[in-house]
Amino acid sequence: MKKLLEEDLISDFSNIGISHGDTILVRASLGAVGRMEKKAETFINALLKTIGTDGTLISLAFTSGSFFRKPKKDDAFHLGKRSYAGALPNAMLNRDDSFRSKHPMCSFVAIGKNAEEIISGHNESSSSYEPVRKVLDLDGKCILVGCVGSSPGFTTTHLAEYDLGHSTKLPVFPWLYSTYYIDDSGKHKIFRRDDLGLCSNSFNKFYSIYVQNEILKANYIGNAYSVLVPAQKAYELENIELSKNKKFNVCKSKLCFMCNGGRWDRAYLLPLFVCRRLMKKYLYS
Ligand SMILES: [Zn+2]
């Protein structure tokens, strides 16, 4: 298979609808893109050249916390902590020209013209997905590269959940998710979530809505099937759908905690969920 070059990716990014000056929120599975020298660096450089010096690139640099258990101090969030969100955000974090927000579990990383503005003020006191609102304000776009099916949907949906009160009112005890973080004076402090993104396994249900409203563009970035939407329009459609039906994003998995007891409107399923998990652990393992 032919090695992909930076100019191949620049051409693909342009073909899917990314232009000079764009604000782009990207999630990507780089393994699906294809063979490249210095894969993450080539991918980032191609995106930055496509949007130019007036554009801004953003990704999710989320970090883990503890659920139920007491968090560990040596796993505290700090600006150098590695993200679990894959090679792309970690490569962005390693660059000297990147900026990272200080939210202890849902930090964002950004590079480019409006990077500092987008991450500013996002910290332990903010709602989890607040930088996405700035992407909307800048008329930004969201792209999924190579994870359209495996990690479906756009982060705008979590912002819509928050604005509708779903991520604060529906999760059962969101504060059970906690972590330490190191504050500006170097002290360890405990952070507990008070808003929680709901299950995203079924965010692919929104794809048909984007298509019906003619906002979804699809193409290949290298070998990776990819989709792009304008952030503001996607957010509006998600907000309308979730306000009509707050269970729209409930997934079908019987082993998903959030959809089988982790939210108050599905809490009646919790005893069944616990039985299923115990049976899986002791009878089928
Ligand atoms: Zn689920």
Side-chain angles (χ1 to χ4, degrees), residues 26-30 32-33 85 143-154 204 207 224-227:
V26 58
R27 290 198 303 114
S29 173
L30 296 184
V33 177
I143 185 170
L144 297 179
V145 177
C147 55
V148 177
S150 59
S151 178
F154 298 104
N204 51 8
Y207 293 159
Y225 182 69
S226 305
V227 292

Side-chain angles (χ1 to χ4, degrees), residues 235-247:
Y235 166 85
E236 287 169 12
L237 294 170
E238 293 149 3
N239 200 307
I240 289 168
E241 205 56 44
L242 289 172
S243 61
K244 280 191 292 191
N245 176 12
K246 64 185 174 190
K247 292 184 183 173

Side-chain angles (χ1 to χ4, degrees), residues 199 201 250-251 256 258-259:
C199 172
N201 291 342
V250 168
C251 79
C256 170
M258 178 60 82
C259 297

